[in-house]
Amino acid sequence: MDITSAGPRDQRRFHVLGVPVDACRDVSAAAIGVHADGGGQIVTLNAEMTMAARSNPRLAAVIDGADLVVPDGAGVVWALRLQGVRVRRSPGIELAWDLLRYAEAHRWSVALVGAAPNVMERLKERLMVERPELRLVFSQHGYLAEDAWPGLEAQLTELNPDLVFVALGVPRQELWAQRLKSNQAGVWMGVGGSFDVWAGTKQRAPQWASRLQIEWLYRFLQEPSRWRRYLALPHFVWSVLVNGSQQRPAKQKQAKGRRVE
Ligand code: UDP
């Protein structure tokens, strides 16, 4: 990414199983464009989230309303390809790190919310070393008692940061960001397990696993207790093959009618 020029947003919206996803020539430029346009929400879409959106209308509505939906997973890229749309996979963790670099270079104020307390501590230590000029104005781990959240939210929205990363897991992080981002000038983005990787407590799949499109297998082997989540993947592939990749979620069909691309 050329961090000295934002470039045009250059963004076209498509749908995978009725869930929107944007094709952009340069995702980082498009993300910076969200800030230039007055702020908004970025969602990073993979097969698992696509399936979650099909059974969770609130999540589906958040993705529909997002300013930028990035093709984060190989499954989404594959489903788009079946429609004749060729995009590169844009892992959310890489986009998020690009945005941090941009934020440092452009003196953006940054807030980080989520992950375990020790992860947040280690992440801040790493950022102090690697991004020493970063204006980190707010950081909070994600395991607060329920009654502590309203105060935290008020403090955060008062700060109105340029960039807010939320690591609370899907769909909570997307719903939370959507609720708080209104009237805010910044970019809000759910980053899943990125803080754990940046802090060094979890490993990202190696390049070869990404190339073979088996990153999910690597993650599964790291956390086999989450096997249930991976059932969404064959279901996704099956749904795309049987129904065609653009089909809308059944629950939204009646309300929104047929969408013509
Ligand atoms: N997380 C959190 N509070 C919670 C649940 C999760 O801060 O109540 C954090 C968790 O520690 C991790 C991140 O959210 O850093 C993403 O969690 P997970 O890997 O489960 O999310 P997903 O795979 O859905 O993105």
Side-chain angles (χ1 to χ4, degrees), residues 50-95:
T50 305
M51 295 315 284
R54 283 167 69 80
S55 56
N56 180 342
R58 285 175 67 210
L59 176 61
V62 169
I63 303 174
D64 263 335
D67 300 86
L68 176 64
V69 184
V70 171
D72 170 284
V76 170
V77 170
W78 165 75
L80 282 173
R81 190 163 292 184
L82 293 184
Q83 297 175 33
V85 181
R86 292 177 76 88
V87 290
R88 241 180 314 155
R89 185 180 162 229
S90 303
I93 188 168
E94 291 174 16
L95 171 61

CSV table of all heavy atoms in Angstrom, one decimal, residues 50-95:
chain,number,residue,atom,x,y,z
A,50,THR,N,-20.7,-15.7,6.6
A,50,THR,CA,-21.8,-15.7,5.6
A,50,THR,C,-22.9,-16.6,6.1
A,50,THR,O,-24.1,-16.2,6.1
A,50,THR,CB,-21.2,-16.1,4.3
A,50,THR,OG1,-20.1,-15.3,3.9
A,50,THR,CG2,-22.3,-16.1,3.2
A,51,MET,N,-22.5,-17.7,6.6
A,51,MET,CA,-23.5,-18.7,7.1
A,51,MET,C,-24.2,-18.2,8.4
A,51,MET,O,-25.4,-18.3,8.6
A,51,MET,CB,-22.9,-20.1,7.3
A,51,MET,CG,-22.4,-20.8,6.1
A,51,MET,SD,-23.5,-20.7,4.6
A,51,MET,CE,-24.7,-21.9,5.0
A,52,ALA,N,-23.4,-17.5,9.2
A,52,ALA,CA,-24.0,-16.9,10.4
A,52,ALA,C,-25.0,-15.9,10.1
A,52,ALA,O,-26.1,-15.8,10.7
A,52,ALA,CB,-22.9,-16.4,11.3
A,53,ALA,N,-24.7,-15.1,9.1
A,53,ALA,CA,-25.6,-14.0,8.7
A,53,ALA,C,-26.9,-14.6,8.1
A,53,ALA,O,-28.0,-13.9,8.3
A,53,ALA,CB,-24.9,-13.1,7.6
A,54,ARG,N,-26.9,-15.7,7.5
A,54,ARG,CA,-28.1,-16.3,7.0
A,54,ARG,C,-29.0,-16.8,8.0
A,54,ARG,O,-30.2,-16.9,7.8
A,54,ARG,CB,-27.7,-17.5,6.0
A,54,ARG,CG,-27.2,-17.0,4.7
A,54,ARG,CD,-26.6,-18.1,3.9
A,54,ARG,NE,-27.5,-19.1,3.4
A,54,ARG,CZ,-28.3,-19.0,2.4
A,54,ARG,NH1,-28.3,-17.9,1.7
A,54,ARG,NH2,-29.1,-20.0,2.0
A,55,SER,N,-28.5,-17.0,9.2
A,55,SER,CA,-29.4,-17.4,10.3
A,55,SER,C,-29.6,-16.3,11.4
A,55,SER,O,-30.2,-16.6,12.4
A,55,SER,CB,-29.0,-18.7,10.9
A,55,SER,OG,-27.7,-18.6,11.4
A,56,ASN,N,-28.9,-15.2,11.2
A,56,ASN,CA,-28.9,-14.2,12.2
A,56,ASN,C,-29.3,-12.8,11.5
A,56,ASN,O,-28.4,-12.2,11.0
A,56,ASN,CB,-27.6,-14.1,12.9
A,56,ASN,CG,-27.6,-13.0,14.0
A,56,ASN,OD1,-28.4,-12.1,14.0
A,56,ASN,ND2,-26.6,-13.1,14.9
A,57,PRO,N,-30.5,-12.5,11.5
A,57,PRO,CA,-31.0,-11.3,10.7
A,57,PRO,C,-30.3,-10.0,11.2
A,57,PRO,O,-30.0,-9.1,10.4
A,57,PRO,CB,-32.5,-11.2,10.9
A,57,PRO,CG,-32.9,-12.5,11.4
A,57,PRO,CD,-31.7,-13.2,12.1
A,58,ARG,N,-29.9,-10.0,12.5
A,58,ARG,CA,-29.3,-8.7,13.0
A,58,ARG,C,-27.9,-8.6,12.4
A,58,ARG,O,-27.5,-7.5,12.0
A,58,ARG,CB,-29.2,-8.8,14.5
A,58,ARG,CG,-30.5,-8.5,15.2
A,58,ARG,CD,-30.5,-8.7,16.7
A,58,ARG,NE,-29.6,-7.6,17.3
A,58,ARG,CZ,-28.9,-7.8,18.4
A,58,ARG,NH1,-28.9,-9.0,19.0
A,58,ARG,NH2,-28.2,-6.9,18.9
A,59,LEU,N,-27.2,-9.7,12.4
A,59,LEU,CA,-25.8,-9.7,11.7
A,59,LEU,C,-26.0,-9.4,10.2
A,59,LEU,O,-25.2,-8.6,9.7
A,59,LEU,CB,-25.1,-11.0,11.9
A,59,LEU,CG,-23.7,-11.2,11.3
A,59,LEU,CD1,-22.8,-10.1,11.8
A,59,LEU,CD2,-23.2,-12.6,11.5
A,60,ALA,N,-27.0,-10.0,9.6
A,60,ALA,CA,-27.2,-9.7,8.2
A,60,ALA,C,-27.4,-8.2,7.9
A,60,ALA,O,-26.9,-7.6,7.0
A,60,ALA,CB,-28.3,-10.5,7.6
A,61,ALA,N,-28.2,-7.6,8.8
A,61,ALA,CA,-28.5,-6.2,8.7
A,61,ALA,C,-27.2,-5.3,8.8
A,61,ALA,O,-27.0,-4.3,8.1
A,61,ALA,CB,-29.6,-5.8,9.7
A,62,VAL,N,-26.4,-5.7,9.8
A,62,VAL,CA,-25.1,-5.0,10.0
A,62,VAL,C,-24.2,-5.1,8.8
A,62,VAL,O,-23.7,-4.1,8.3
A,62,VAL,CB,-24.4,-5.5,11.3
A,62,VAL,CG1,-23.0,-4.9,11.3
A,62,VAL,CG2,-25.2,-5.2,12.5
A,63,ILE,N,-24.2,-6.3,8.2
A,63,ILE,CA,-23.3,-6.4,7.0
A,63,ILE,C,-23.9,-5.6,5.9
A,63,ILE,O,-23.2,-4.9,5.1
A,63,ILE,CB,-23.1,-7.9,6.7
A,63,ILE,CG1,-22.5,-8.7,7.9
A,63,ILE,CG2,-22.2,-8.0,5.4
A,63,ILE,CD1,-22.4,-10.2,7.7
A,64,ASP,N,-25.2,-5.7,5.7
A,64,ASP,CA,-25.9,-4.9,4.6
A,64,ASP,C,-25.6,-3.4,4.8
A,64,ASP,O,-25.4,-2.7,3.8
A,64,ASP,CB,-27.4,-5.1,4.8
A,64,ASP,CG,-27.9,-6.2,3.8
A,64,ASP,OD1,-27.3,-6.4,2.8
A,64,ASP,OD2,-29.0,-6.7,4.1
A,65,GLY,N,-25.5,-2.9,6.0
A,65,GLY,CA,-25.3,-1.5,6.2
A,65,GLY,C,-23.8,-1.1,6.3
A,65,GLY,O,-23.5,0.1,6.5
A,66,ALA,N,-22.9,-2.1,6.2
A,66,ALA,CA,-21.5,-1.7,6.4
A,66,ALA,C,-21.0,-0.9,5.2
A,66,ALA,O,-21.5,-1.0,4.1
A,66,ALA,CB,-20.7,-3.0,6.5
A,67,ASP,N,-20.1,0.0,5.4
A,67,ASP,CA,-19.5,0.8,4.4
A,67,ASP,C,-18.6,0.1,3.4
A,67,ASP,O,-18.4,0.5,2.3
A,67,ASP,CB,-18.9,2.0,5.0
A,67,ASP,CG,-19.8,2.8,5.8
A,67,ASP,OD1,-20.0,2.5,7.0
A,67,ASP,OD2,-20.5,3.7,5.3
A,68,LEU,N,-17.9,-0.9,4.0
A,68,LEU,CA,-17.0,-1.7,3.2
A,68,LEU,C,-17.0,-3.2,3.7
A,68,LEU,O,-16.9,-3.4,4.9
A,68,LEU,CB,-15.6,-1.1,3.3
A,68,LEU,CG,-14.5,-1.9,2.6
A,68,LEU,CD1,-14.7,-1.9,1.1
A,68,LEU,CD2,-13.1,-1.3,2.9
A,69,VAL,N,-17.3,-4.1,2.8
A,69,VAL,CA,-17.3,-5.5,3.2
A,69,VAL,C,-16.1,-6.2,2.4
A,69,VAL,O,-16.2,-6.3,1.2
A,69,VAL,CB,-18.6,-6.2,3.0
A,69,VAL,CG1,-18.6,-7.7,3.5
A,69,VAL,CG2,-19.8,-5.5,3.6
A,70,VAL,N,-15.1,-6.7,3.2
A,70,VAL,CA,-13.9,-7.2,2.6
A,70,VAL,C,-14.0,-8.7,2.4
A,70,VAL,O,-14.4,-9.4,3.3
A,70,VAL,CB,-12.7,-6.8,3.5
A,70,VAL,CG1,-11.5,-7.4,3.0
A,70,VAL,CG2,-12.6,-5.3,3.5
A,71,PRO,N,-13.6,-9.2,1.2
A,71,PRO,CA,-13.5,-10.7,1.1
A,71,PRO,C,-12.4,-11.3,1.8
A,71,PRO,O,-11.3,-11.4,1.3
A,71,PRO,CB,-13.4,-10.9,-0.4
A,71,PRO,CG,-12.8,-9.6,-1.0
A,71,PRO,CD,-13.1,-8.5,0.0
A,72,ASP,N,-12.6,-11.7,3.1
A,72,ASP,CA,-11.6,-12.1,4.0
A,72,ASP,C,-11.2,-13.6,3.8
A,72,ASP,O,-10.1,-14.1,4.1
A,72,ASP,CB,-12.0,-11.8,5.4
A,72,ASP,CG,-11.2,-12.5,6.5
A,72,ASP,OD1,-11.3,-13.7,6.7
A,72,ASP,OD2,-10.4,-11.7,7.1
A,73,GLY,N,-12.2,-14.4,3.3
A,73,GLY,CA,-12.0,-15.9,3.3
A,73,GLY,C,-11.9,-16.4,1.9
A,73,GLY,O,-12.5,-15.9,0.9
A,74,ALA,N,-11.2,-17.5,1.8
A,74,ALA,CA,-11.0,-18.2,0.4
A,74,ALA,C,-12.4,-18.6,-0.1
A,74,ALA,O,-12.6,-18.6,-1.3
A,74,ALA,CB,-10.1,-19.4,0.6
A,75,GLY,N,-13.3,-19.0,0.8
A,75,GLY,CA,-14.6,-19.5,0.3
A,75,GLY,C,-15.4,-18.4,-0.4
A,75,GLY,O,-16.1,-18.6,-1.4
A,76,VAL,N,-15.3,-17.2,0.2
A,76,VAL,CA,-16.0,-16.0,-0.4
A,76,VAL,C,-15.4,-15.7,-1.8
A,76,VAL,O,-16.2,-15.4,-2.7
A,76,VAL,CB,-16.0,-14.8,0.6
A,76,VAL,CG1,-16.5,-13.6,-0.1
A,76,VAL,CG2,-16.8,-15.1,1.9
A,77,VAL,N,-14.1,-15.7,-1.8
A,77,VAL,CA,-13.4,-15.5,-3.1
A,77,VAL,C,-13.9,-16.5,-4.2
A,77,VAL,O,-14.2,-16.2,-5.3
A,77,VAL,CB,-11.9,-15.5,-2.9
A,77,VAL,CG1,-11.2,-15.4,-4.2
A,77,VAL,CG2,-11.5,-14.3,-2.0
A,78,TRP,N,-13.9,-17.7,-3.7
A,78,TRP,CA,-14.3,-18.8,-4.6
A,78,TRP,C,-15.8,-18.6,-5.1
A,78,TRP,O,-16.1,-18.7,-6.3
A,78,TRP,CB,-14.2,-20.2,-3.9
A,78,TRP,CG,-14.9,-21.3,-4.6
A,78,TRP,CD1,-14.5,-22.0,-5.7
A,78,TRP,CD2,-16.1,-21.9,-4.1
A,78,TRP,NE1,-15.4,-23.0,-6.0
A,78,TRP,CE2,-16.4,-23.0,-5.0
A,78,TRP,CE3,-17.0,-21.7,-3.0
A,78,TRP,CZ2,-17.5,-23.8,-4.9
A,78,TRP,CZ3,-18.1,-22.5,-2.9
A,78,TRP,CH2,-18.4,-23.5,-3.8
A,79,ALA,N,-16.7,-18.3,-4.2
A,79,ALA,CA,-18.1,-18.1,-4.6
A,79,ALA,C,-18.2,-16.9,-5.5
A,79,ALA,O,-19.1,-16.9,-6.4
A,79,ALA,CB,-18.9,-17.9,-3.3
A,80,LEU,N,-17.4,-15.9,-5.3
A,80,LEU,CA,-17.5,-14.7,-6.2
A,80,LEU,C,-17.0,-15.1,-7.6
A,80,LEU,O,-17.5,-14.7,-8.6
A,80,LEU,CB,-16.6,-13.6,-5.7
A,80,LEU,CG,-17.2,-12.7,-4.6
A,80,LEU,CD1,-16.2,-11.8,-4.0
A,80,LEU,CD2,-18.5,-12.0,-5.1
A,81,ARG,N,-16.0,-16.0,-7.6
A,81,ARG,CA,-15.4,-16.4,-8.9
A,81,ARG,C,-16.4,-17.2,-9.7
A,81,ARG,O,-16.5,-17.1,-10.9
A,81,ARG,CB,-14.2,-17.3,-8.6
A,81,ARG,CG,-13.4,-17.6,-9.9
A,81,ARG,CD,-12.0,-18.1,-9.7
A,81,ARG,NE,-11.2,-17.0,-9.1
A,81,ARG,CZ,-9.9,-17.2,-8.8
A,81,ARG,NH1,-9.3,-18.3,-9.1
A,81,ARG,NH2,-9.2,-16.2,-8.3
A,82,LEU,N,-17.3,-17.9,-9.0
A,82,LEU,CA,-18.4,-18.6,-9.7
A,82,LEU,C,-19.3,-17.7,-10.4
A,82,LEU,O,-20.0,-18.0,-11.3
A,82,LEU,CB,-19.2,-19.5,-8.8
A,82,LEU,CG,-18.4,-20.7,-8.2
A,82,LEU,CD1,-19.4,-21.5,-7.3
A,82,LEU,CD2,-17.8,-21.6,-9.2
A,83,GLN,N,-19.3,-16.4,-9.9
A,83,GLN,CA,-20.2,-15.4,-10.6
A,83,GLN,C,-19.4,-14.6,-11.6
A,83,GLN,O,-19.9,-13.6,-12.2
A,83,GLN,CB,-20.7,-14.4,-9.5
A,83,GLN,CG,-21.5,-14.9,-8.4
A,83,GLN,CD,-21.9,-13.9,-7.4
A,83,GLN,OE1,-22.0,-12.7,-7.7
A,83,GLN,NE2,-22.0,-14.3,-6.2
A,84,GLY,N,-18.2,-15.0,-11.8
A,84,GLY,CA,-17.3,-14.3,-12.8
A,84,GLY,C,-16.6,-13.1,-12.2
A,84,GLY,O,-16.1,-12.3,-13.0
A,85,VAL,N,-16.7,-13.0,-10.9
A,85,VAL,CA,-16.0,-11.8,-10.3
A,85,VAL,C,-14.7,-12.3,-9.7
A,85,VAL,O,-14.7,-13.2,-8.8
A,85,VAL,CB,-16.9,-11.3,-9.1
A,85,VAL,CG1,-16.3,-10.1,-8.5
A,85,VAL,CG2,-18.3,-10.9,-9.7
A,86,ARG,N,-13.6,-11.8,-10.2
A,86,ARG,CA,-12.3,-12.2,-9.7
A,86,ARG,C,-11.8,-11.1,-8.7
A,86,ARG,O,-11.6,-10.0,-9.1
A,86,ARG,CB,-11.3,-12.3,-10.8
A,86,ARG,CG,-11.7,-13.5,-11.7
A,86,ARG,CD,-10.7,-13.6,-12.9
A,86,ARG,NE,-9.4,-14.1,-12.5
A,86,ARG,CZ,-9.1,-15.4,-12.5
A,86,ARG,NH1,-10.1,-16.3,-12.9
A,86,ARG,NH2,-8.0,-15.9,-12.1
A,87,VAL,N,-11.6,-11.6,-7.5
A,87,VAL,CA,-11.0,-10.7,-6.5
A,87,VAL,C,-9.9,-11.4,-5.7
A,87,VAL,O,-9.9,-12.6,-5.7
A,87,VAL,CB,-12.1,-10.2,-5.4
A,87,VAL,CG1,-13.1,-9.3,-6.0
A,87,VAL,CG2,-12.7,-11.4,-4.7
A,88,ARG,N,-9.0,-10.6,-5.2
A,88,ARG,CA,-8.0,-11.2,-4.4
A,88,ARG,C,-8.5,-11.3,-2.9
A,88,ARG,O,-9.3,-10.5,-2.5
A,88,ARG,CB,-6.7,-10.3,-4.3
A,88,ARG,CG,-5.5,-11.1,-4.9
A,88,ARG,CD,-4.3,-10.2,-4.9
A,88,ARG,NE,-4.6,-8.8,-5.4
A,88,ARG,CZ,-3.9,-7.8,-5.1
A,88,ARG,NH1,-2.9,-7.9,-4.3
A,88,ARG,NH2,-4.2,-6.6,-5.6
A,89,ARG,N,-8.1,-12.4,-2.2
A,89,ARG,CA,-8.5,-12.5,-0.8
A,89,ARG,C,-7.8,-11.4,0.0
A,89,ARG,O,-6.6,-11.1,-0.2
A,89,ARG,CB,-8.1,-13.9,-0.4
A,89,ARG,CG,-8.5,-14.2,1.0
A,89,ARG,CD,-8.1,-15.5,1.5
A,89,ARG,NE,-8.2,-15.5,2.9
A,89,ARG,CZ,-7.3,-15.9,3.8
A,89,ARG,NH1,-6.2,-16.4,3.4
A,89,ARG,NH2,-7.5,-15.7,5.0
A,90,SER,N,-8.5,-10.8,0.9
A,90,SER,CA,-7.9,-9.7,1.7
A,90,SER,C,-8.1,-10.1,3.1
A,90,SER,O,-9.1,-9.7,3.8
A,90,SER,CB,-8.7,-8.4,1.4
A,90,SER,OG,-8.6,-8.0,0.1
A,91,PRO,N,-7.1,-10.7,3.7
A,91,PRO,CA,-7.3,-11.1,5.1
A,91,PRO,C,-7.4,-9.9,6.0
A,91,PRO,O,-6.7,-8.9,5.9
A,91,PRO,CB,-6.0,-11.8,5.5
A,91,PRO,CG,-5.5,-12.3,4.1
A,91,PRO,CD,-5.9,-11.2,3.2
A,92,GLY,N,-8.5,-9.9,6.9
A,92,GLY,CA,-8.7,-8.7,7.7
A,92,GLY,C,-7.5,-8.3,8.6
A,92,GLY,O,-7.3,-7.2,8.8
A,93,ILE,N,-6.8,-9.3,9.0
A,93,ILE,CA,-5.7,-9.1,9.9
A,93,ILE,C,-4.6,-8.2,9.2
A,93,ILE,O,-3.9,-7.4,9.8
A,93,ILE,CB,-5.1,-10.4,10.5
A,93,ILE,CG1,-4.0,-10.1,11.5
A,93,ILE,CG2,-4.5,-11.3,9.4
A,93,ILE,CD1,-3.6,-11.3,12.3
A,94,GLU,N,-4.5,-8.5,7.9
A,94,GLU,CA,-3.5,-7.7,7.1
A,94,GLU,C,-4.0,-6.3,6.8
A,94,GLU,O,-3.2,-5.3,6.9
A,94,GLU,CB,-3.2,-8.4,5.8
A,94,GLU,CG,-2.4,-9.7,6.0
A,94,GLU,CD,-2.2,-10.6,4.8
A,94,GLU,OE1,-2.3,-10.0,3.7
A,94,GLU,OE2,-1.8,-11.7,5.0
A,95,LEU,N,-5.3,-6.2,6.5
A,95,LEU,CA,-5.8,-4.8,6.3
A,95,LEU,C,-5.7,-4.0,7.6
A,95,LEU,O,-5.4,-2.9,7.6
A,95,LEU,CB,-7.3,-5.0,5.9
A,95,LEU,CG,-8.1,-3.7,5.8
A,95,LEU,CD1,-7.5,-2.7,4.8
A,95,LEU,CD2,-9.6,-3.9,5.5
